[in-house]
Amino acid sequence: MIQKKVAIIGATGVGKTSLIRQYVEGIFSEKYLTSIGVKIDKKLIELESKKVQFMIWDIEGIDQFSSFNTKYLRGTSGVIIVADVTRSSSFNEASTILLDVKKQLDIPCILACNKTDLTELPTDDTLKETTEKFNFVYETSAKTGKNVEAMFYQLATAVCE
Amino acid sequence: MTSAKDKPDPTDPNHDLNSIRDIVLGKDSSHVVDAVNRQAREIVRDVVTEALHDREQSDQSVNKILVPLVEKSVEQSVANRSEQMVSALYPLVGSLVRKSVSAFFAEFMQKTNQLIENSFTWRGIKWRYQAWRQGINYAEYITRKTFSFRVEQVLLIHAKTGLLLKSISVEKDAADADLVSAMLTAINDFVSDSFQQEDSAEQQSLSVVKTNDFTLVVKPGPNAILVGAVTGTVPETLNQRFDLALEEVHQIYHKQLLTYEGDNEPFEACDPILRQCLISQLNTTKKTVPWLAFIVMGIASVALIGGLTFRFIQLNKLSLLKNIGNEQGIVLLQANLNGISQFNLKLLRDTHATPITEWLKMHELNIDHVNVQEFPFVSTEPEIINHKIQSVIDRYNAVQFESMSAEFNGQVNLSQYKSMQSQLLAIPGFSLSNYSFDKLLIDTPKPAVNLLETREFNMLVNDINQSWIEFDIEQGQLSTMSKKTLSHVHKKLVRLIDLSIILNIDMRLLIIGISDKSGQSGVNKKLSEQRAFSVKQYLVKNAIKAHYIHALGAGEIDDSDIASNARRAVFSVLLLSDNNKSGFKQ
Ligand SMILES: Nc1nc2c(ncn2[C@@H]2O[C@H](COP(=O)(O)OP(=O)(O)OP(=O)(O)O)[C@@H](O)[C@H]2O)c(=O)[nH]1
Ligand SMILES: [Mg+2]
């Protein structure tokens, strides 16, 4: 078994904590409690050839008043950057975060377009630009669990390559 | 100015109506607009809420228009007046942060506690139970109970990733050590970020996390962090131990730490290094012993036990004393304990029963503490009667009494028999019919014809007994002188043997040769034998039957009075006949 540190980042309220909760515990809540600092969970993933234990760092949401503590990214093997499909501005923020991450680390980055149970993924050009910068893009729903498992599995595969 | 387009068309059916409106309201309706404007504020004020509500209900268009507007204006106002906004929100955000951080720490503590509490050994379970009973937490209990400190768990954490490289523990590996490790590094990141201007992480990082129950000793190194979960008071020596272990880890695993990719395999071998940190110190503080209370309690219990034991012994003695009533010839009237050590006995005793003092001695009872009141009494119990019979027959030498068979045997003369009988009849409870006298021989007086012979016989015995045969120095053979003396003895002996036949007395003559002390004792013994044999030989030669004579040598006579004439043989007549038995005894 190998261990990997991965991080979930994104604008506030996009559903980072919800995605992790859905993935680790299989539950979802409509209640919104904003995260402060970092919360860590773990999950064992069985890939075809090996087992990977993820230490998942749920990092507090980023907004225009606070950027995230880049120290939290030290030693991270892969990140999931989350955007909210109901809020187009969250995609811009995802782009900015991606730049910050790439400045520091050369690691696989996945874009999670979350809350797709509420609305379709917008199809404008800026969004297309954004998605192209990522290694992988997933349309997810923390509420229904759509693509959550698949996204983390993909991350595990990517960080082990 | 108006254009052709503005000109009224006379063919238009509304033309007349418009003309009238113009006449009434004026060409530009300005006074009407004026009038409406004057009242619009009041009209809209009354319906705006309902109107917005109805419109939102019908096509949700209100929010679509309002939200961007509101967002924009809030953004603008925050950008323009951020200082005021921050100070307004600060108290709210402050408490939010505190709540969230404390939730994080609570989770962290809970996980760390699990590290320590994860042991399920028998001792662990016992302590857990005790801790529960005392209403304290397990870790605290362990500390109080056994150790002044104990390193429960040691974690080696990869500094960069916060991933757990290796963990060892006193009891059993804890499940969430990896989470604790990650959380610790997160705290570390948070602390170094919050309290530091420059990026010199190592100096500012966390070194100790303390709670009521345990302490996390955190030793950050460039590539790895060593953490110890300690219960009790952390001693200074522990820091040094941790520093050394961390240095060693860095030295040995330098490359592995730098190239760490999440595989813990290479760090399995650092077990011994980490184990050096798993130290503890037994609690040596002794409880103060309440000696005085122990002594007082000891004395009290010894006194109590002693008192009870003494009482028990005394009661035991009393019941032993009561056994005296079972003794023949004694009737126990009363026995009691007076005070703590004085016994009172009241009894009847036959004079032939065992004396009380003797009985007490026999039963090893202290006579001093027994006060005996004795009343005379005549017992007819068999043993007492036997006792009394025995004391009667003790006066008659030749009589025996068998108490078992109730038989009298032996020999008495008639007058003795008569007096014995009257004495026996005087014993209370004695009845002649209960006893047998068949084996008792009663002598009747002997006929007068033998009286002279008996007297002569006795005289001869005396004479012979007082005779001796003298020998010369170192001589075993009879001299002429001694042969002469011996011929007198021979004559008496012949007559004695005749009389013994008449009187029916079986007799023998014992000749004892003796010698003086001159010369060797071995020779003297031989000499004495020779002298006795010479005498025997002479007598046998002179027609005395050999079976009447026994000769023996007595050796030297060690007596200064007779030493001078100890060269002799002496005689002793032995009477064996039954008829003379009584004579022997008397
Ligand atoms: N319908 C729907 N709601 C979601 C989904 N994901 C999250 N939410 C809701 O969005 C709100 C915010 O979710 P969180 O998971 O707390 O968001 P976050 O990114 O962790 O927020 P911060 O920690 O404040 O940055 C919550 O009320 C969730 O219930 C989703 O996929 N679908
Ligand atoms: Mg969150």
Side-chain angles (χ1 to χ4, degrees):
Chain A
M1 186 194 79
I2 58 163
Q3 295 186 93
K4 293 286 177 189
K5 172 182 172 178
V6 294
I8 314 289
I9 333 169
T12 39
V14 291
K16 300 177 292 294
T17 306
S18 300
L19 279 170
I20 296 169
R21 215 156 165 229
Q22 174 62 257
Y23 179 55
V24 175
E25 297 169 59
I27 46 177
F28 172 81
S29 161
E30 294 281 358
K31 218 168 131 187
Y32 175 36
L33 274 173
T34 188
S35 309
I36 290 171
V38 61
K39 187 178 179 304
I40 300 157
D41 269 298
K42 64 175 176 178
K43 172 97 177 180
L44 186 73
I45 304 150
E46 295 196 25
L47 296 181
E48 271 159 31
S49 57
K50 60 180 124 183
K51 284 182 188 174
V52 186
Q53 168 143 294
F54 267 174
M55 302 303 300
I56 308 165
W57 290 46
D58 174 8
I59 295 169
E60 64 191 342
I62 292 146
D63 53 36
Q64 63 191 101
F65 308 109
S66 66
S67 63
F68 71 97
N69 181 353
T70 50
K71 278 214 180 76
Y72 291 146
L73 281 187
R74 287 199 309 153
T76 306
S77 301
V79 290
I80 293 174
I81 296 171
V82 187
D84 179 349
V85 292
T86 65
R87 199 144 48 97
S88 58
S89 63
S90 68
F91 283 87
N92 298 334
E93 279 148 351
S95 286
T96 322
I97 292 166
L98 182 69
L99 279 177
D100 282 346
V101 173
K102 290 283 178 193
K103 250 188 258 166
Q104 204 180 329
L105 300 159
D106 179 24
I107 51 171
C109 297
I110 295 179
L111 176 67
C113 308
N114 194 36
K115 306 195 189 180
T116 51
D117 58 290
L118 292 178
T119 171
E120 298 264 297
L121 185 66
T123 49
D124 53 87
D125 286 347
T126 42
L127 190 77
K128 216 173 158 215
E129 249 173 59
T130 306
T131 55
E132 276 166 2
K133 296 176 202 157
F134 283 87
N135 303 67
F136 305 96
V137 180
Y138 279 86
E139 287 179 40
T140 61
S141 166
K143 189 174 180 176
T144 64
K146 183 179 129 191
N147 277 336
V148 176
E149 192 86 36
M151 176 175 67
F152 277 97
Y153 191 90
Q154 179 60 65
L155 185 64
T157 319
V159 298
C160 286
E161 268 167 7
Chain B
M1 250 188 3
T2 52
S3 66
K5 240 184 179 177
D6 299 330
K7 271 187 182 162
D9 179 5
T11 59
D12 183 357
N14 290 331
H15 176 255
D16 292 341
L17 202 61
N18 287 338
S19 304
I20 294 166
R21 194 180 288 132
D22 287 348
I23 294 162
V24 174
L25 298 176
K27 192 81 176 149
D28 53 0
S29 311
S30 58
H31 54 282
V32 174
V33 171
D34 275 354
V36 170
N37 271 352
R38 252 178 276 130
Q39 289 179 20
R41 216 181 148 118
E42 279 160 38
I43 294 164
V44 172
R45 183 192 66 191
D46 289 344
V47 298
V48 68
T49 315
E50 290 79 359
L52 283 171
H53 175 261
D54 292 350
R55 186 63 191 268
E56 178 64 16
Q57 287 286 315
S58 71
D59 63 1
Q60 286 99 32
S61 61
V62 179
N63 253 345
K64 272 187 195 142
I65 295 163
L66 279 182
V67 168
L69 278 175
V70 172
E71 269 184 2
K72 204 166 183 180
S73 64
V74 169
E75 256 172 45
Q76 230 162 35
S77 99
V78 168
N80 296 342
R81 307 166 38 137
S82 61
E83 282 295 307
Q84 288 93 324
M85 285 295 268
V86 166
S87 48
L89 285 174
Y90 185 76
L92 187 70
V93 174
S95 77
L96 204 66
V97 169
R98 269 198 303 280
K99 210 169 155 190
S100 179
V101 168
S102 72
F104 179 86
F105 267 93
E107 193 190 346
F108 173 67
M109 290 310 169
Q110 185 218 333
K111 295 263 189 257
T112 316
N113 244 335
Q114 281 168 7
L115 278 187
I116 296 163
E117 297 200 8
N118 238 336
S119 62
F120 264 96
T121 56
W122 166 239
R123 192 182 56 176
I125 293 164
K126 203 176 106 193
W127 284 356
R128 223 171 283 272
Y129 171 70
Q130 298 287 5
W132 170 75
R133 272 190 45 186
Q134 290 178 25
I136 54 172
N137 139 334
Y138 173 61
E140 195 184 340
Y141 180 79
I142 298 177
T143 319
R144 279 193 206 167
K145 174 86 189 157
T146 339
F147 299 102
S148 63
F149 80 90
R150 181 158 94 146
V151 181
E152 305 286 342
Q153 179 101 23
V154 179
L155 312 177
L156 181 68
I157 305 168
H158 187 237
K160 202 167 151 196
T161 57
L163 294 173
L164 180 68
L165 299 173
K166 174 83 188 157
S167 93
I168 56 159
S169 72
V170 176
E171 311 275 3
K172 203 186 100 186
D173 267 354
D176 282 333
D178 44 9
L179 270 183
V180 170
S181 306
M183 288 167 110
L184 252 178
T185 38
I187 297 172
N188 221 13
D189 292 340
F190 174 76
V191 170
S192 61
D193 187 63
S194 309
F195 302 106
Q196 222 176 288
Q197 265 71 17
E198 305 303 312
D199 195 43
S200 55
E202 268 64 68
Q203 282 139 33
Q204 272 294 327
S205 49
L206 211 61
S207 66
V208 157
V209 179
K210 245 188 174 138
T211 74
N212 284 342
D213 310 326
F214 62 87
T215 308
L216 286 185
V217 177
V218 185
K219 287 278 158 197
N223 300 314
I225 304 167
L226 191 64
V227 179
V230 186
T231 46
T233 318
V234 181
E236 195 42 46
T237 49
L238 195 75
N239 277 317
Q240 292 157 10
R241 187 71 70 97
F242 272 55
D243 283 336
L244 284 175
L246 192 62
E247 265 171 40
E248 215 174 322
V249 168
H250 275 87
Q251 253 168 29
I252 300 171
Y253 297 96
H254 177 72
K255 213 169 136 197
Q256 288 90 330
L257 285 169
L258 284 179
T259 58
Y260 180 67
E261 286 282 338
D263 183 10
N264 288 352
E265 191 77 33
F267 299 96
E268 279 305 311
C270 71
D271 196 285
I273 303 175
L274 301 192
R275 225 158 262 287
Q276 288 169 19
C277 302
L278 222 51
I279 53 174
S280 61
Q281 187 175 305
L282 284 173
N283 231 339
T284 48
T285 48
K286 281 186 187 142
K287 285 180 193 163
T288 48
V289 184
W291 286 116
L292 190 68
F294 280 167
I295 290 167
V296 171
M297 282 209 359
I299 291 170
S301 28
V302 164
L304 185 69
I305 293 167
L308 288 172
T309 315
F310 184 71
R311 179 87 189 151
F312 176 77
I313 292 169
Q314 293 300 81
L315 290 175
N316 216 25
K317 266 188 190 169
L318 185 64
S319 71
L320 258 176
L321 271 176
K322 284 179 180 171
N323 285 342
I324 202 168
N326 299 334
E327 202 68 12
Q328 299 251 1
I330 294 175
V331 176
L332 183 66
L333 301 175
Q334 195 183 324
N336 57 30
L337 181 60
N338 188 15
I340 55 163
S341 63
Q342 186 69 46
F343 296 98
N344 285 338
L345 282 185
K346 203 171 180 183
L347 44 83
L348 304 176
R349 193 179 79 87
D350 190 293
T351 45
H352 279 83
T354 315
I356 303 303
T357 47
E358 207 169 284
W359 188 90
L360 292 173
K361 270 185 204 161
M362 253 160 51
H363 291 84
E364 289 168 355
L365 290 162
N366 193 345
I367 314 154
D368 299 345
H369 294 124
V370 186
N371 175 27
V372 184
Q373 246 185 309
E374 197 178 306
F375 300 97
F377 147 81
V378 176
S379 167
T380 54
E381 282 170 289
E383 203 174 290
I384 297 298
I385 293 173
N386 286 346
H387 201 269
K388 288 175 180 172
I389 292 170
Q390 191 61 52
S391 68
V392 169
I393 62 145
D394 278 350
R395 296 171 213 160
Y396 303 91
N397 287 345
V399 180
Q400 288 92 39
F401 172 65
E402 288 291 333
S403 59
M404 295 288 281
S405 51
E407 278 178 346
F408 290 86
N409 54 47
Q411 198 171 15
V412 278
N413 60 37
L414 198 59
S415 68
Q416 281 175 328
Y417 175 70
K418 281 184 180 158
S419 73
M420 189 180 88
Q421 211 172 48
S422 62
Q423 283 161 1
L424 288 173
L425 284 167
I427 298 171
F430 181 88
S431 158
L432 279 174
S433 58
N434 293 339
Y435 298 88
S436 158
F437 292 87
D438 295 347
K439 291 185 180 169
L440 187 68
L441 296 177
I442 299 154
D443 281 348
T444 41
K446 283 180 180 166
V449 66
N450 282 346
L451 270 176
L452 282 175
E453 283 86 349
T454 308
R455 189 171 295 154
E456 192 189 351
F457 181 89
N458 286 339
M459 275 170 61
L460 283 170
V461 169
N462 265 344
D463 282 354
I464 293 169
N465 282 350
Q466 281 163 23
S467 306
W468 69 85
I469 308 300
E470 205 75 50
F471 285 84
D472 292 335
I473 294 172
E474 289 177 18
Q475 276 302 316
Q477 299 303 320
L478 294 163
S479 63
T480 331
M481 264 292 284
S482 44
K483 277 182 185 165
K484 206 172 169 187
T485 317
L486 189 53
S487 69
H488 292 300
V489 175
H490 172 256
K491 262 187 207 154
K492 287 175 186 169
L493 187 60
V494 170
R495 174 65 185 153
L496 188 68
I497 289 170
D498 289 344
L499 285 171
S500 75
I501 293 162
I502 294 165
L503 291 170
N504 190 29
I505 294 170
D506 194 5
M507 58 139 293
R508 301 284 184 273
L509 178 68
L510 182 62
I511 304 164
I512 306 161
I514 51 178
S515 78
D516 61 13
K517 282 187 71 186
S518 60
Q520 288 178 347
S521 67
V523 176
N524 287 338
K525 172 84 175 136
K526 273 253 156 61
L527 192 60
S528 68
E529 281 169 3
Q530 210 180 342
R531 283 170 180 164
F533 272 93
S534 299
V535 174
K536 184 180 174 179
Q537 215 171 13
Y538 176 91
L539 292 173
V540 172
K541 263 188 187 164
N542 290 285
I544 301 292
K545 285 182 180 156
H547 82 265
Y548 279 111
I549 302 166
H550 295 289
L552 60 93
E556 292 172 357
I557 293 291
D558 187 14
D559 188 332
S560 54
D561 290 342
I562 53 173
S564 55
N565 45 16
R567 299 180 299 275
R568 28 172 100 170
V570 295
F571 303 96
S572 179
V573 177
L574 305 175
L575 303 179
L576 307 172
S577 159
D578 278 347
N579 289 350
N580 272 337
K581 242 191 212 170
S582 57
F584 273 78
K585 275 183 97 172
Q586 272 163 355

